[in-house]
Amino acid sequence: QVQLMESGGGVVQPGGSLRLSCAASGFIFSGYAMHWVRQAPGKGLEWVAVITSDERNKNYADSVKGRFTISRDNSKNTLYLQMDSLRAADTAVYYCARDFMGFDPWGQGTLVTVSS
Amino acid sequence: QSVLTQPPSVSGTPGQRVTISCSGSSSNIGSNSVYWYQQLPGTAPKLLIYRINQRPSGVPDRFSGSKSGTSASLAISGLRSEDEGDYYCAAWDDSLSAWVFGGGTKLTVL
């Protein structure tokens, strides 16, 4: 079945960096755009970034533009999110999601905590 | 503040029908499709409604979506205890060139 599994979360100091991964299975990964969406503790959903299937086009939320980079490796069926210059406000569960009739499905999420 | 506006909470008793509203603008709901996501406690969000009123396979027909102008609604009929959770609307925003979400609505089944 279609599955997405995030990894790479953890605790990082303000100003630090972290790279998240999202391993895809059960579908032709190279045929779909992919998204990252985050959810701060006790808060709502916030779209972060999208990348097209061929990696030619990327788009970011204003809140992360210039600090986060979305990428993918279609040979490894894996989506990435490189997060630099992290701030406390970036603390959240980060979900990857396939672009299919909206965001479907979602991974289980990985928690990123930015704290000194 | 979220770009799309939802009521923070709604409630109903088993078997009742409830609706959740989602208000936006001409740059998002007014010109694009609306999507609804269900997030049950402790789980990842799940697609509930796509393209305003379409249900993915496996979603019961108790869930329905509609749109009028710059607002959208999610209706849940025959309310069940397992429907308790958070519900989010979403749409693409042409002005922001970004996906935007509502702040979420917590559904309580009394």
Side-chain angles (χ1 to χ4, degrees), chain A residues 43-99:
Chain A
K43 302 297 184 183
L45 302 171
E46 179 188 16
W47 174 79
V48 173
V50 62
I51 184 170
T52 52
S53 57
D54 59 6
E55 205 173 359
R56 286 185 183 178
N57 291 294
K58 306 173 186 180
N59 203 9
Y60 300 89
D62 285 345
S63 58
V64 306
K65 204 170 291 184
R67 300 187 300 121
F68 289 13
T69 303
I70 189 171
S71 64
R72 64 192 296 161
D73 186 336
N74 286 341
S75 69
K76 295 182 178 179
N77 291 342
T78 303
L79 173 73
Y80 302 101
L81 185 67
Q82 176 67 40
M83 304 185 296
D84 299 319
S85 303
L86 282 162
R87 307 165 180 167
D90 297 318
T91 294
V93 173
Y94 285 74
Y95 297 100
C96 61
R98 184 180 63 168
D99 186 290

Side-chain angles (χ1 to χ4, degrees), chain A residues 100-113:
Chain A
F100 181 64
M101 303 187 302
F103 307 119
D104 182 53
W106 300 57
Q108 88 288 348
T110 187
L111 176 62
V112 173
T113 302

